[in-house]
C-alpha cells in the first residue's frame, strides 16, 4: 500500500509566492497522567517524519500547562531506565512560552520569554497532536485548533471527547447496536453525596456479574489507574486509585476471552481496517496494565490467529465503531473475543500509542503501510481536511 494512497496536499507558499514545505507542529506532553508516554510517542514521530517533505516545529506542553519550545532531539524522548521522559527536561527555557493564534486569519506562532521581545516562529500549516488523555486527546486541544482554523491530525472535538469518556463512548456504541460489555458508572457527585450507597451499587453489580471487577478512571488511557478487584474488601483502595486520575469512575465486569485489537485508518475513499492483533495474557502482570504495555514492553501477536470469518467480523466492527463516534484520521479499536465466539467492543482510542512498537503502527505495518508512510498519510489527510463544521 504505498503510492496508491498518497495524495499531495495544497502546497503552501511564502509571501513572495515561492512554494515551501508544509510546516508541522508536533504537540506533545500535556497535563494528563499520560504525559510521559505522549513524549515517547512524539519522539518516534519526530524520528520518522520525512524532513524532505515537511518542516517540523516541536512544541511540548508541561505538566503545569506551559507551552514550551523544545529541542528537536528525539533521542532524548525515549524511556530510559524504566523512567518516562518529561517536557521540562526538553524545554529550551524554564519560563518561555509558545503562543498559537486563535485568529483564523493568521497561523503565525509566537515565542516569548519574560523581559524579552516576542519572537515570531513562522506559520504552522498543520498540527500533529501527540497528546494522550485529558487536556489534549479529549477535544480540548481540538477545539482550540478549530478556533484558530488550523488543520490537525485525528478526530474532531466531538469524536475526541466521546473517545476519551468511556461512559459516553459505550452509550454511543450501544445506540448504534455495537456489542458492549456490562458496566456501571459512579459519578463524582454520587460518591460525594453518599459513598455507602455508591458502594452498594457496586456490590449489587458484582452480585449480578461476579467478581473480579475492573475499577478504572472514566476518562484516562494507557491503562493508568485501573485495578482488578477480587473482593469487596479491596474496593476502596481501587476507587481511590481511579479517582486520583478522574473523579468519575467506571466499573466493568470481567469478560472471559481473548483481547483483540484492530486499527482503522482514513484513506481518501473512507476508513479501512488493518489486520487485527491479539494481546496474550502477560504472565508477570494481572492484566495488560501500564507497566506491561510501556515499561516491560509486553508484545502482541500480529496478525492475530483468527479465522478469516473472525478477522472480517472484527474489521467490520472496528470501522463501524469509527463511524459511530464520527472519528477522523485514525482509531485503535479494542475488543474481547468471548468464550462463546462473540466480539464485544471494549473501547476506542482516537490517538493511540504511536511508537514503532506500539500496536497501532505494528498492525498497519503488517497490513502493508510502513511507519513513515503512516505518519505521512495522516499528515496529508489533515492537510486536505478543512476545520469547522464538516
Amino acid at each position: 500500500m504505498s503510492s496508491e494512497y498518497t495524495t499531495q496536499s495544497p502546497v503552501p507558499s511564502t509571501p513572495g509566492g515561492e512554494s515551501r514545505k508544509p510546516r508541522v507542529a508536533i504537540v506533545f506532553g500535556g497535563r494528563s497522567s499520560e504525559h510521559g508516554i505522549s513524549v515517547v510517542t512524539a519522539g518516534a514521530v519526530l524520528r520518522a517524519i520525512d524532513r524532505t517533505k515537511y518542516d517540523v516545529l516541536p512544541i511540548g506542553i508541561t505538566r503545569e500547562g506551559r507551552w514550551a519550545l523544545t529541542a528537536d532531539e528525539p533521542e532524548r524522548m525515549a524511556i530510559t531506565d524504566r523512567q518516562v521522559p518529561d517536557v521540562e527536561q526538553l524545554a529550551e527555557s524554564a519560563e518561555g512560552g509558545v503562543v498559537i493564534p486563535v485568529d483564523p486569519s493568521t497561523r503565525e506562532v509566537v515565542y516569548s520569554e519574560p523581559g524579552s521581545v516576542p519572537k515570531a516562529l513562522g506559520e504552522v500549516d498543520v498540527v500533529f497532536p501527540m497528546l494522550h488523555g485529558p487536556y489534549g486527546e479529549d477535544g480540548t486541544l481540538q477545539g482550540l485548533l478549530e478556533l484558530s482554523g488550523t488543520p490537525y491530525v485525528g478526530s474532531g472535538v466531538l469524536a475526541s471527547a466521546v473517545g476519551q469518556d468511556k461512559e459516553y463512548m459505550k452509550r454511543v456504541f450501544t445506540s448504534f447496536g455495537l456489542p458492549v460489555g456490562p458496566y456501571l458508572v459512579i459519578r463524582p457527585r454520587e460518591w460525594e453525596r453518599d459513598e455507602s450507597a455508591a458502594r452498594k451499587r457496586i456490590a449489587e453489580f458484582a452480585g449480578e456479574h461476579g467478581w473480579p471487577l475492573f475499577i478504572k478512571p472514566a476518562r484516562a488511557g494507557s491503562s493508568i489507574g485501573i485495578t482488578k478487584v477480587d473482593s469487596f474488601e479491596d474496593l476502596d483502595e481501587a476507587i481511590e486509585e481511579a479517582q486520583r486520575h478522574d473523579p468519575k469512575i467506571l466499573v466493568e465486569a470481567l469478560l472471559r476471552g481473548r483481547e483483540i485489537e484492530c486499527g482503522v485508518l482514513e484513506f481518501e475513499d473512507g476508513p479501512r481496517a488493518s489486520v487485527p492483533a491479539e494481546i496474550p495474557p502477560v504472565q508477570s502482570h494481572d492484566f495488560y496494565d501500564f507497566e506491561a504495555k510501556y515499561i516491560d514492553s509486553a508484545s502482541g501477536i500480529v496478525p492475530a490467529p483468527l479465522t478469516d470469518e473472525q478477522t472480517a467480523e472484527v474489521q467490520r466492527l472496528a470501522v463501524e465503531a469509527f463511524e459511530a463516534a464520527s472519528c477522523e484520521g485514525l482509531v485503535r479499536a479494542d475488543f474481547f473475543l468471548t468464550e462463546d465466539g462473540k466480539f464485544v467492543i471494549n473501547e476506542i482510542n482516537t490517538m493511540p500509542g504511536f511508537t514503532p512498537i506500539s500496536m497501532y503502527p505494528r498492525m498497519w505495518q503488517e497490513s502493508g503501510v510502513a511507519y513513515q508512510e503512516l505518519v505521512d498519510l495522516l499528515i496529508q489527510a489533515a492537510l486536505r481536511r478543512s476545520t469547522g463544521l464538516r
Side-chain angles (χ1 to χ4, degrees):
M1 276 190 207
S2 51
S3 58
E4 174 187 355
Y5 299 115
T6 303
T7 297
Q8 291 298 319
S9 61
V11 179
S13 60
T14 65
E18 302 90 357
S19 63
R20 61 175 178 81
K21 292 184 287 188
R23 197 145 190 247
V24 183
I26 309 291
V27 180
F28 60 94
R31 293 163 55 191
S32 84
S33 51
E34 298 176 74
H35 176 100
I37 291 305
S38 172
V39 178
V40 174
T41 298
V45 171
L46 283 170
R47 278 190 292 272
I49 195 167
D50 186 348
R51 305 304 178 101
T52 67
K53 290 181 68 173
Y54 306 107
D55 285 327
V56 178
L57 177 65
I59 300 173
I61 301 176
T62 69
R63 295 179 189 273
E64 291 71 41
R66 177 172 66 94
W67 289 51
L69 187 63
T70 66
D72 186 2
E73 298 176 1
E75 65 277 3
R76 295 172 57 197
M77 301 165 73
I79 296 174
T80 306
D81 297 327
R82 301 176 68 86
Q83 298 297 312
V84 292
D86 191 283
V87 166
E88 289 285 6
Q89 302 164 354
L90 303 164
E92 294 195 348
S93 163
E95 295 182 300
V98 175
V99 179
I100 65 170
V102 292
D103 180 354
S105 66
T106 178
R107 292 181 184 168
E108 187 84 36
V109 176
V110 174
Y111 177 73
S112 62
E113 292 193 48
S116 301
V117 176
K119 178 174 67 174
L121 299 178
E123 291 190 349
V124 165
D125 299 293
V126 62
V127 171
F128 202 140
M130 306 307 306
L131 297 156
H132 300 307
Y135 312 110
E137 188 183 350
D138 60 347
T140 49
L141 177 63
Q142 289 75 14
L144 177 62
L145 296 173
E146 291 286 350
L147 285 174
S148 71
T150 305
Y152 54 92
V153 171
S155 289
V157 175
L158 174 65
S160 297
V162 168
Q164 188 65 47
D165 191 315
K166 295 178 178 65
E167 175 195 358
Y168 287 98
M169 180 197 307
K170 291 176 186 292
R171 290 182 182 274
V172 167
F173 290 160
T174 300
S175 72
F176 277 82
L178 290 162
V180 172
Y183 70 98
L184 176 71
V185 177
I186 303 294
R187 299 174 183 277
R189 274 181 289 191
E190 179 182 359
W191 183 256
E192 292 162 6
R193 186 169 57 243
D194 193 336
E195 290 184 16
S196 61
R199 287 192 195 90
K200 183 180 178 184
R201 284 187 65 210
I202 298 174
E204 290 171 348
F205 181 81
E208 182 179 356
H209 299 289
W211 299 95
L213 301 176
F214 288 91
I215 311 296
K216 58 176 66 175
R219 295 163 290 194
S222 297
S223 298
I224 289 175
I226 301 177
T227 306
K228 183 181 178 183
V229 177
D230 294 304
S231 68
F232 191 80
E233 289 70 32
D234 301 324
L235 194 58
D236 278 5
E237 185 177 349
I239 290 171
E240 183 178 342
E241 170 61 17
Q243 288 178 333
R244 286 200 314 114
H245 305 278
D246 188 348
K248 182 166 77 167
I249 65 171
L250 196 71
V251 181
E252 293 180 338
L254 173 68
L255 291 175
R256 300 187 185 280
R258 299 160 61 187
E259 292 190 47
I260 306 294
E261 298 184 349
C262 191
V264 180
L265 179 63
E266 188 174 16
F267 294 93
E268 283 190 84
D269 60 353
R272 304 182 198 173
S274 69
V275 300
E278 179 169 5
I279 308 299
V282 184
Q283 301 302 323
S284 58
H285 295 263
D286 211 16
F287 61 97
Y288 193 48
D289 62 3
F290 176 85
E291 288 210 351
K293 284 182 180 179
Y294 298 110
I295 304 301
D296 295 329
S297 300
S299 184
I301 302 167
V302 188
L306 300 171
T307 67
D308 291 345
E309 292 76 13
Q310 288 172 327
T311 296
E313 175 67 2
V314 76
Q315 289 175 326
R316 179 185 69 81
L317 290 170
V319 171
E320 283 193 12
F322 182 97
E323 298 280 34
S326 298
C327 295
E328 294 168 299
L330 72 163
V331 148
R332 194 194 71 231
D334 301 345
F335 297 85
F336 291 105
L337 177 55
T338 60
E339 292 175 339
D340 62 357
K342 302 288 179 59
F343 283 103
V344 174
I345 188 164
N346 183 37
E347 62 182 66
I348 57 170
N349 195 315
T350 57
M351 186 52 70
F354 214 85
T355 69
I357 63 169
S358 297
M359 296 309 300
Y360 184 85
R362 284 185 62 201
M363 288 187 286
W364 279 108
Q365 174 79 43
E366 190 67 24
S367 303
V369 181
Y371 188 81
Q372 186 178 47
E373 185 183 3
L374 184 59
V375 171
D376 183 60
L377 283 169
L378 288 167
I379 294 171
Q380 292 292 328
L383 285 166
R384 288 194 303 269
R385 192 167 59 232
S386 64
T387 55
L389 298 176
R390 53 188 184 275

